[in-house]
Amino acid sequence: MKKVLVTGADGFIGSHLTESLLEKGYDVKAFVYYNSFNNWGWLDTLPKEKLDQIEIFAGDIRDPNGVREAMKDVDQVFHLAALIAIPFSYHSPDSYVDTNIKGTLNVLQAARDLGTERIMVTSTSEVYGTAQYVPIDEKHPFQGQSPYSATKIGADRLAESFYRSFQLPVSIVRPFNTFGPRQSARAVIPTIITQLLAGKEEIQLGSLTPTRDFNYVKDTAAGFIAIAESEKTIGEEINIATQQEISVGDLAREIIAQINPKARIRCDEQRLRPEKSEVNRLLGSNAKIKELTDWEQKYTFEAGIAETIAWIRQNMNAYKADIYNV
């Protein structure tokens, strides 16, 4: 049985990946962000019998010594710990450099010293910027359209350099927009759902024209595991994408139709991104992941949305639906 470490296990995708790894029989150590409340993020919501199977390590991805300690006696690392909100990166870019670039360097350095068997570094479709052609394959140029995107490009290139310089067995996992239960309200889908469930007749959104390629979170987690289980993915960067796109406006209309067909959409100026920073189109190619692994999309967009609405309905107390969450 492989022993794996998931950094960012307390987060949205990390908590789902932790559950999926447990279900597949992995021995899981969860790296969560240390805090004096002893809060383990979304892992706190798992049933006790699942939590009892997980080894919790509380630390800070920015601290090289803590990262090295966490990675001892581990076969594989799924590195998801990151700062991810784009608007927050506009006014706090330093923290993104420290967490996303330095944090990744800490994982890579420790893996090199400890001889770790596999490292999965989490990238993002945001590294591509607005599509210059579609579907976006892994050869598409990079474009740092936000400080967040720039730090993820930096982390990816560091990972590549460790593969090329030291033969470190790295795979760069690049999910397109992921959604599902537990996602924070800084993301567009929970923003729409929580406003509707709070009874608002007017939904506040930023730009409605950008398109996104949305993965349901369980499909994203399955993609990480498929990449880790294939020898062909070492030294590669690989999209996890559905190869379908939907505009923010159409997405909002789909959710409105499912919850409250009477609701209307209003553009909220403070939610608009600077013009050159807005990524207008994302539509990913999944040819490479299908060629190198046995991954396939299991959830339709509609089924994923229905599961997400049902979960948020049960967990509205976790959301502040009346403010703009950056």
Side-chain angles (χ1 to χ4, degrees):
M1 188 199 293
K2 294 244 183 281
K3 177 143 193 188
V4 299
L5 177 73
V6 180
T7 74
D10 41 351
F12 162 48
I13 299 176
S15 62
H16 283 281
L17 177 59
T18 299
E19 278 191 285
S20 298
L21 287 161
L22 274 183
E23 280 160 23
K24 292 201 72 151
Y26 284 84
D27 180 4
V28 184
K29 186 194 272 194
F31 189 113
V32 303
Y33 185 32
Y34 172 81
N35 60 84
S36 58
F37 306 107
N38 208 22
N39 181 313
W40 299 343
W42 286 116
L43 294 181
D44 282 334
T45 66
L46 300 189
K48 187 171 185 318
E49 60 272 16
K50 274 190 187 170
L51 258 185
D52 287 346
Q53 296 173 55
I54 303 167
E55 181 185 345
I56 304 283
F57 183 99
D60 189 324
I61 204 68
R62 297 167 297 186
D63 179 69
N65 186 55
V67 170
R68 185 181 307 272
E69 278 300 309
M71 283 174 58
K72 283 179 180 168
D73 308 319
V74 161
D75 301 310
Q76 301 187 345
V77 177
F78 293 87
H79 173 45
L80 284 78
L83 283 174
I84 57 171
I86 292 165
F88 189 59
S89 79
Y90 295 143
H91 61 70
S92 297
D94 277 53
S95 58
Y96 282 68
V97 171
D98 291 344
T99 305
N100 297 354
I101 297 180
K102 188 77 194 334
T104 301
L105 178 61
N106 291 339
V107 169
L108 296 168
Q109 292 273 42
R112 186 185 168 208
D113 293 347
L114 297 166
T116 310
E117 190 184 293
R118 288 293 298 272
I119 305 94
M120 272 54 65
V121 169
T122 309
S123 178
T124 167
S125 52
E126 288 284 326
V127 300
Y128 296 127
T130 294
Q132 294 174 29
Y133 59 83
V134 294
I136 298 170
D137 59 20
E138 292 79 359
K139 294 184 172 68
H140 187 285
F142 301 115
Q143 202 158 261
Q145 285 184 224
S146 63
Y148 163 67
S149 156
T151 62
K152 294 298 276 188
I153 293 169
D156 289 358
R157 303 298 35 106
L158 265 179
E160 179 194 21
S161 76
F162 269 66
Y163 167 70
R164 294 184 183 279
S165 306
F166 313 117
Q167 291 79 53
L168 198 69
V170 174
S171 301
I172 297 170
V173 182
R174 188 166 292 136
F176 275 65
N177 294 74
T178 297
F179 74 99
R182 305 178 197 151
Q183 188 170 30
S184 73
R186 44 135 226 99
V188 67
I189 289 176
T191 290
I192 299 166
I193 295 172
T194 52
Q195 288 183 64
L196 286 165
L197 292 179
K200 294 193 179 347
E201 297 277 317
E202 202 171 65
I203 305 308
Q204 315 262 10
L205 288 174
S207 182
L208 303 180
T209 52
T211 68
R212 295 290 182 263
D213 182 328
F214 284 104
N215 289 304
Y216 186 56
V217 66
K218 288 178 184 169
D219 281 332
T220 300
F224 271 90
I225 296 169
I227 288 166
E229 289 180 346
S230 166
E231 287 297 308
K232 298 178 193 162
T233 57
I234 294 173
E236 300 289 343
E237 35 203 308
I238 302 157
N239 292 340
I240 306 177
T242 66
Q243 218 160 296
Q244 296 166 322
E245 66 186 324
I246 184 169
S247 72
V248 172
D250 287 344
L251 163 74
R253 284 182 274 277
E254 164 72 33
I255 299 171
I256 284 169
Q258 286 199 33
I259 300 177
N260 175 12
K262 294 201 294 287
R264 296 283 168 267
I265 301 166
R266 191 172 77 78
C267 180
D268 175 11
E269 294 290 319
Q270 69 166 336
R271 296 171 191 251
L272 293 173
R273 292 186 195 168
E275 186 190 348
K276 289 187 176 65
S277 185
E278 179 62 85
V279 173
N280 293 313
R281 189 177 190 195
L282 285 176
L283 168 60
S285 165
N286 58 21
K288 190 170 181 180
I289 191 171
K290 289 187 162 176
E291 180 194 331
L292 301 181
T293 78
D294 59 2
W295 179 85
E296 55 184 46
Q297 184 188 351
K298 296 259 182 12
Y299 287 81
T300 63
F301 180 68
E302 293 72 21
I305 288 290
E307 279 202 15
T308 307
I309 292 171
W311 185 87
I312 291 178
R313 205 184 282 281
Q314 299 292 315
N315 292 274
M316 274 296 281
N317 61 340
Y319 291 93
K320 299 179 176 74
D322 52 341
I323 63 164
Y324 171 38
N325 299 269
V326 297

